[in-house]
Amino acid sequence: MKLLEEHIIKYGTALNNEVLKVDSFINHQIDPNLMMKLAKDIQDYFKEKEITKIVTIETSGIAPSVFLGYLLNVPVVYLKKNSSKIIGTNCYQTVIHSFTKDVDYLITCDKKYIKESDKVLFVDDFMANGEACLGAIDILKQANASIEGIAIIIEKAFQSGRQKVEALGYDIYSLARIASLENGNITFTE
Amino acid sequence: MKLLEEHIIKYGTALNNEVLKVDSFINHQIDPNLMMKLAKDIQDYFKEKEITKIVTIETSGIAPSVFLGYLLNVPVVYLKKNSSKIIGTNCYQTVIHSFTKDVDYLITCDKKYIKESDKVLFVDDFMANGEACLGAIDILKQANASIEGIAIIIEKAFQSGRQKVEALGYDIYSLARIASLENGNITFTE
């Protein structure tokens, strides 16, 4: 998506060969108008699917997800990164590893909020090694929900996430695909 | 706000005399249509103010905030609950205590994203003892930003948050004010 690529070039920073900082418009400060446009683009790509629920992971997947949920008129569920004493024990859970922060997260979802009848679109801000996405797939499979597709705002195409997730048969739509961050230069795949 | 009160009665649960569970439409599953309506109500209340930025705290303040930011055409900044190795050291920070989870959080904000020229509306999902709000005020004061008002989705009016924050001279607009959760009965103030 041209507009997003322009934002990434203008406001993003390659911190090193693997980390792209976009916290001026996605994951610290959020540009809500951009988020609505990203959501419309995702809606258009998956327009043939009858989505009943958007699923994301806290925190930075929430902004694009709620606009998409608004456009599609469906609920949004965010998987929680830490169990809370309020959430109760009746939940699906799995462990994912964040390479960016080098920590393991327990992600959880109350069983009430994902049903076997749900046709889910999973949305996240980044895909790198695919850990978060594979964790979400694990949770959605535990719930026997149907996974209709995966929408990613920024894919690091030089890492292995897409390969792993496509191997499971899922359709991934990435709004921007980074080819390389080497030497501080941000380039996109065609 | 009548619609929100109806949602709380219909879908909320008083877990005990102090904890209201609303995770079916605010803080686990999100109802995006309701969020847009809440945002419109907040926009209307503060329509005389020239807001330049919405500030919230991750995670559950993000959904109403991004709709409000969209309506007002201003950026949204969410204060982060844990320092990340990506955020850098050039940030404002303060410590807040969550009584619900009984833990202290370090909240941080990159100095780039709140300026002295900003006229800020702070938005959060809950106000109870006022700890999160006072922490956000602390950060905004460190930045010398102007605090134009505070919007809270659900205020526990039987706790001391409002009293503490109003004592500092701020205008708090709460969309629902819980009078009591005693014996599992949810009642609102007039």
Side-chain angles (χ1 to χ4, degrees):
Chain A
M1 188 199 186
K2 197 74 191 162
L3 177 70
L4 177 61
E5 290 184 359
E6 287 166 1
H7 265 76
I8 293 168
I9 293 295
K10 194 167 178 185
Y11 304 113
T13 310
L15 286 191
N16 55 46
N17 289 356
E18 297 202 343
V19 177
L20 174 66
K21 190 170 175 174
V22 287
D23 68 359
S24 67
F25 62 101
I26 293 184
N27 45 23
H28 188 5
Q29 182 169 257
I30 299 168
D31 177 341
N33 287 302
L34 177 67
M35 289 299 136
M36 180 62 101
K37 286 172 185 158
L38 302 184
K40 283 179 179 164
D41 193 70
I42 296 169
Q43 177 188 29
D44 187 56
Y45 182 86
F46 290 102
K47 64 178 182 288
E48 305 298 332
K49 303 282 187 180
E50 287 178 19
I51 307 296
T52 66
K53 198 158 280 177
I54 308 296
V55 171
T56 186
I57 301 180
E58 63 175 327
T59 302
S60 6
I62 294 175
S65 293
V66 293
F67 286 110
L68 188 57
Y70 179 75
L71 292 170
L72 296 175
N73 196 26
V74 300
V76 174
V77 173
Y78 62 88
L79 308 180
K80 298 196 166 195
K81 271 187 187 159
N82 295 296
S83 61
S84 144
K85 65 184 179 192
I86 295 184
I87 201 172
T89 52
N90 196 25
C91 54
Y92 304 114
Q93 64 182 55
T94 195
V95 172
I96 57 175
H97 182 74
S98 165
F99 286 94
T100 313
K101 299 188 180 179
D102 194 25
V103 289
D104 285 333
Y105 290 108
L106 178 69
I107 58 169
T108 62
C109 184
D110 191 308
K111 291 183 179 177
K112 282 200 298 290
Y113 301 130
I114 305 178
K115 297 292 183 192
E116 198 170 340
S117 55
D118 273 322
K119 296 169 188 285
V120 171
L121 180 58
F122 175 70
V123 176
D124 209 359
D125 57 338
F126 271 99
M127 175 179 279
N129 293 292
E131 295 294 315
C133 186
L134 292 168
I137 290 169
D138 183 13
I139 292 225
L140 294 168
K141 282 187 160 176
Q142 289 177 45
N144 291 310
S146 166
I147 303 170
E148 297 294 311
I150 291 156
I152 300 294
I153 308 303
I154 301 174
E155 177 189 336
K156 295 180 192 166
F158 56 89
Q159 288 180 309
S160 60
R162 174 178 286 269
Q163 198 176 345
K164 291 180 201 166
V165 174
E166 281 184 342
L168 300 174
Y170 299 112
D171 182 15
I172 307 168
Y173 177 55
S174 301
L175 279 69
R177 302 190 68 211
I178 309 288
S180 167
L181 299 171
E182 282 182 27
N183 308 312
N185 294 319
I186 304 168
T187 57
F188 299 96
T189 61
E190 288 310 304
Chain B
M1 191 199 186
K2 197 70 192 164
L3 176 70
L4 178 59
E5 290 183 359
E6 288 167 359
H7 264 76
I8 292 169
I9 293 294
K10 193 166 179 185
Y11 305 112
T13 311
L15 286 191
N16 55 45
N17 289 354
E18 298 201 345
V19 177
L20 174 67
K21 190 169 175 174
V22 288
D23 69 359
S24 66
F25 60 101
I26 294 183
N27 44 24
H28 187 6
Q29 181 168 258
I30 299 169
D31 177 340
N33 287 302
L34 177 68
M35 290 297 137
M36 179 62 102
K37 287 172 184 158
L38 302 184
K40 283 180 179 163
D41 193 70
I42 296 168
Q43 176 187 31
D44 187 56
Y45 182 87
F46 289 103
K47 63 178 181 290
E48 305 299 331
K49 304 282 188 181
E50 288 178 20
I51 308 297
T52 65
K53 198 159 279 177
I54 308 297
V55 171
T56 188
I57 301 180
E58 64 175 326
T59 301
S60 8
I62 294 174
S65 294
V66 293
F67 285 111
L68 188 56
Y70 178 75
L71 292 170
L72 296 174
N73 196 26
V74 300
V76 174
V77 173
Y78 61 89
L79 308 181
K80 298 198 165 192
K81 271 186 186 156
N82 296 296
S83 60
S84 144
K85 64 185 181 192
I86 294 184
I87 201 172
T89 52
N90 196 26
C91 55
Y92 303 114
Q93 64 181 56
T94 195
V95 172
I96 57 175
H97 182 74
S98 164
F99 286 93
T100 313
K101 299 189 181 179
D102 194 24
V103 290
D104 286 333
Y105 290 108
L106 179 68
I107 58 169
T108 62
C109 183
D110 192 308
K111 291 183 178 175
K112 282 199 299 288
Y113 302 129
I114 306 179
K115 297 293 184 191
E116 199 169 340
S117 56
D118 273 322
K119 296 169 188 287
V120 172
L121 180 58
F122 174 69
V123 176
D124 209 0
D125 58 338
F126 271 99
M127 175 179 280
N129 294 291
E131 295 294 315
C133 186
L134 292 168
I137 290 170
D138 182 14
I139 293 231
L140 294 168
K141 282 185 160 179
Q142 289 177 45
N144 291 311
S146 167
I147 303 171
E148 297 295 309
I150 291 156
I152 300 294
I153 307 304
I154 302 175
E155 177 190 334
K156 295 180 193 165
F158 57 89
Q159 289 181 307
S160 60
R162 174 177 286 268
Q163 198 177 343
K164 291 180 200 164
V165 174
E166 280 184 342
L168 300 174
Y170 299 112
D171 183 16
I172 307 168
Y173 178 56
S174 301
L175 279 67
R177 302 189 67 212
I178 309 288
S180 167
L181 297 171
E182 283 182 25
N183 306 313
N185 292 319
I186 304 167
T187 58
F188 299 96
T189 61
E190 287 308 305

